[in-house]
Amino acid sequence: MTLVERWRRGSRLAMNENSPWGGSGGSDGGGRGGGNSGGGNGPRNPWSRPSGEEPPGRDPRGPSAVEELIRRARTIFGDGLPGGPDGRTIWVYVALGVAAIWLATTCVHRIGPQERGIVTFFGSFSRTLTPGIGLTLPEPLESVKVIDVEEIRVVDIGSTGDAEKLVLTGDQNIIDLAYSVRWNVKNSELYAFQIADPDKTIAEVAESAMRAVIATVTLNEALGAGRTGIEENVRARMQEILDGYRAGVSVQGVAIKQADPPDAVNDAFKEVSAAQQTAQTYLNEARAYAQQLNSKAQGEAAAFDKVYVQYKLAPEVTRRRMYYETMEQVLSGIDKTIVEANGVTPYLPLSEVNRRPQPARPEVEAQP
């Protein structure tokens, strides 16, 4: 029988046997009678003591009905638990349950594959928990801070919607830069105790490194030609500075998202850039045409060298063949009439006859 069922059964029994308002009959049970003495025909006062004979040595008046109900309830409730009827055992079990939950939540820690657990003993570094299930002393003796060491974090510096981030180049020009830094945790112990605000620290280091690198390049290099080299130099310089701080982080890369002149000169700069691109286009076309002519001349020279070799072997045959080829090229595009020697019918230029316009024929009406 469960504890709840015993409680309900005991409560019903106590209410039926010693109800302060009386049972179903009898003068002692508060049947219909009057007065507060417990007899008669009226209801009995629940706070009065029941009448009747009492055992020797006890108060003849006996306990009140409410006291008797409480006593019976405690007796029945205590019978369902080991340790006696005083009801103190339940608080012991509650305390043990709370202590067990507290120990389970503060002493057992699950560390993921990409995480590390920093254990501190009264705020001082104690050890590092590796992936798996780790055990520590309960709080507040030891506490654990879990750090994700494989997550790639991103810090954005400057953007098109924020204020301008103006940087001076090596040729005394100004550009507006927006870039981002990707980093992750390299040493969880140093990361937990050396840097108070990692994002702010990395942003300031990135800005310092970017200004130092941009100061060594020209405007054209910063706007596009040398972006890859600038990003790599900034990453290396940031890593060097952060290692000097013992920050425990690794810079994965720097990406320049925007590199434009200031807004005050942006329109004029675009016009200059367009003119430079047009000039570069013309230069490329001229170089392509010169390369084409050079290739053609080299091909003709190579062909002439081959003809010259054949000419030295058979000068007359080569000369006649060259004459025929030349006359073929000259006469192929003109109208001509060829006349042979005597006794031979002349050549009739039928193609020329067909090319000339024919005279219009008179229309003849059909006779009926």
Side-chain angles (χ1 to χ4, degrees):
M1 182 180 295
T2 62
L3 180 62
V4 177
E5 292 177 351
R6 292 190 179 189
W7 169 259
R8 292 178 177 176
R9 179 180 178 184
S11 299
R12 289 194 300 268
L13 182 59
M15 292 295 293
N16 292 333
E17 292 182 355
N18 197 15
S19 175
W21 289 275
S24 58
S27 60
D28 293 340
R32 295 191 179 277
N36 297 331
S37 62
N41 296 327
R44 182 165 55 90
N45 187 351
W47 303 105
S48 64
R49 300 180 183 273
S51 61
E53 295 182 358
E54 297 292 340
R58 296 185 61 180
D59 188 359
R61 295 177 299 174
S64 65
V66 175
E67 293 175 352
E68 183 67 16
L69 177 62
I70 295 175
R71 185 186 66 80
R72 287 178 176 270
R74 288 180 177 178
T75 302
I76 296 172
F77 184 75
D79 291 341
L81 294 173
D86 55 355
R88 296 179 181 177
T89 308
I90 188 172
W91 299 110
V92 175
Y93 281 97
V94 170
L96 292 177
V98 172
I101 295 175
W102 174 62
L103 291 175
T105 55
T106 59
C107 295
V108 181
H109 307 276
R110 181 182 180 277
I111 308 299
Q114 75 282 0
E115 298 174 341
R116 299 294 183 272
I118 303 299
V119 182
T120 56
F121 182 76
F122 286 112
S124 178
F125 174 74
S126 175
R127 62 189 182 279
T128 301
L129 297 180
T130 56
I133 302 298
L135 300 177
T136 62
L137 297 177
E139 291 185 355
L141 299 179
E142 286 186 345
S143 59
V144 178
K145 180 181 180 182
V146 179
I147 299 176
D148 193 337
V149 298
E150 295 184 4
E151 178 186 2
I152 301 299
R153 299 168 172 86
V154 179
V155 176
D156 294 324
I157 303 173
S159 62
T160 56
D162 298 338
E164 292 181 332
K165 187 69 66 175
L166 301 180
V167 182
L168 185 65
T169 63
D171 55 354
Q172 304 302 315
N173 287 303
I174 297 177
I175 60 174
D176 181 17
L177 283 179
Y179 49 96
S180 61
V181 180
R182 304 184 306 277
W183 62 278
N184 66 333
V185 178
K186 179 174 62 175
N187 189 315
S188 57
E189 176 185 350
L190 296 177
Y191 174 77
F193 293 96
Q194 292 295 122
I195 301 180
D197 191 350
D199 290 340
K200 182 178 180 181
T201 302
I202 292 175
E204 292 177 354
V205 172
E207 185 173 356
S208 175
M210 180 63 73
R211 292 184 182 276
V213 174
I214 291 297
T216 61
V217 300
T218 62
L219 178 63
N220 293 332
E221 293 176 345
L223 291 179
R227 279 194 180 185
T228 304
I230 293 173
E231 293 171 350
E232 180 60 27
N233 292 336
V234 172
R235 189 205 65 79
R237 193 176 185 88
M238 285 185 61
Q239 190 65 60
E240 181 181 356
I241 296 174
L242 291 172
D243 290 344
Y245 291 166
R246 302 180 72 245
V249 301
S250 175
V251 181
Q252 299 298 325
V254 179
I256 298 177
K257 299 184 296 183
Q258 172 188 344
D260 296 326
D263 293 338
V265 297
N266 193 16
D267 295 337
F269 185 84
K270 289 181 178 179
E271 294 179 359
V272 173
S273 298
Q276 292 176 350
Q277 293 177 0
T278 303
Q280 188 66 32
T281 301
Y282 291 156
L283 290 175
N284 293 336
E285 292 177 355
R287 293 191 185 99
Y289 182 69
Q291 185 68 23
Q292 182 180 359
L293 292 181
N294 188 19
S295 300
K296 183 179 180 181
Q298 290 177 357
E300 293 178 353
F304 182 80
D305 292 339
K306 293 180 181 180
V307 172
Y308 180 70
V309 172
Q310 299 297 327
Y311 179 79
K312 290 192 299 182
L313 296 175
E316 185 64 27
V317 175
T318 304
R319 186 183 301 111
R320 184 174 295 275
R321 182 175 180 81
M322 292 177 62
Y323 173 77
Y324 290 157
E325 291 178 354
T326 303
M327 294 304 296
E328 181 181 0
Q329 294 178 0
V330 172
L331 299 177
S332 62
I334 60 175
D335 295 334
K336 50 191 172 296
T337 302
I338 301 175
V339 179
E340 296 292 342
N342 296 331
V344 180
T345 304
Y347 167 74
L348 298 178
L350 299 179
S351 59
E352 183 66 21
V353 173
N354 295 332
R355 192 179 305 172
R356 294 175 182 175
Q358 298 295 331
R361 295 180 179 180
E363 296 181 359
V364 178
E365 296 181 358
Q367 299 295 328

